[in-house]
Amino acid sequence: MTSTDPDLAADIDATCRLTGEFTLRSGQVSNEYFDKYLFEADPLLLARVAREMAQLLPAETELLGGLEMGGIPIATTISQLIGMPALFVRKEAKKYGTCKLAEGTPYDGRRITLIEDVITTGGAVRDATNALREGGAIVETVVCAIDRSPADVNPLADVGLEVRAVLTKADLDAARAAAGA
């Protein structure tokens, strides 16, 4: 676990882990789901997650790229916490008005660290990385609250992206086991 908040995994697990049958963005079916909006809607829990994520940011970060939709409240909270500008990255560029992919500060030639809530296969992060790079951004790292990908697997290696996570599925499973003991 990379968190310096010793109770964070237990609190996230207790708040966000749902059981049932869920289809993930990747199309995979899972018997559990981490409803990240439950921690993102809780101002105290969101602040704790943001503090942990801020510690994982690369020193050379110039902009925080919050991915639609779950990464946006986290990026906003981190932005406010450390005073760094944030971008709000859409799943696809608007088809009207300014037709922007990312709302906020211009990012061409700037180093963006992506902010995401949960990563399993990295599909949304991969798409955003490719689109931002096409727009001239330098994107090398994503910081997420929860990494659900298999242990010791970087699901974004194919696009040269480093994944830094506050919590992994193993951390949450350990917290669940400890709570049940």
Side-chain angles (χ1 to χ4, degrees):
M1 180 180 340
T2 58
S3 175
T4 59
D5 182 337
D7 299 320
L8 186 61
D11 293 344
I12 291 285
D13 187 75
T15 302
C16 301
R17 188 188 300 242
L18 307 177
T19 57
E21 186 173 310
F22 305 94
T23 302
L24 306 178
R25 180 189 188 276
S26 64
Q28 295 175 348
V29 176
S30 176
N31 63 352
E32 60 186 16
Y33 183 74
F34 292 95
D35 188 347
K36 66 273 184 174
Y37 298 115
L38 295 175
F39 84 73
E40 292 176 5
D42 178 326
L44 298 178
L45 199 47
L46 175 60
R48 290 169 61 197
V49 169
R51 281 193 297 273
E52 296 297 324
M53 290 177 75
Q55 295 177 54
L56 298 176
L57 294 172
E60 61 276 5
T61 301
E62 296 177 87
L63 298 170
L64 303 170
L67 300 186
E68 180 186 349
M69 175 166 126
I72 290 176
I74 301 171
T76 301
T77 304
I78 296 169
S79 173
Q80 186 176 34
L81 181 69
I82 66 172
M84 183 176 290
L87 289 172
F88 307 123
V89 184
R90 297 175 181 279
K91 291 179 181 164
E92 61 181 48
K94 286 192 318 186
K95 305 230 186 290
Y96 59 91
T98 59
C99 301
K100 290 182 180 179
L101 170 70
E103 301 292 342
T105 305
Y107 58 86
D108 184 21
R110 311 268 315 265
R111 190 168 300 276
I112 299 172
T113 295
L114 297 180
I115 303 297
E116 182 63 304
D117 48 16
V118 177
I119 293 175
T120 303
T121 63
V125 175
R126 181 178 292 102
D127 293 346
T129 297
N130 290 332
L132 288 166
R133 286 176 177 166
E134 286 174 17
I138 302 162
V139 184
E140 299 173 336
T141 307
V142 58
V143 176
C144 65
I146 301 169
D147 181 357
R148 286 194 46 164
S149 64
D152 301 322
V153 172
N154 177 351
L156 295 159
D158 62 313
V159 290
L161 208 58
E162 177 187 2
V163 177
R164 297 182 182 187
V166 172
L167 299 168
T168 65
K169 183 169 183 332
D171 297 328
L172 296 167
D173 290 345
R176 169 65 47 114

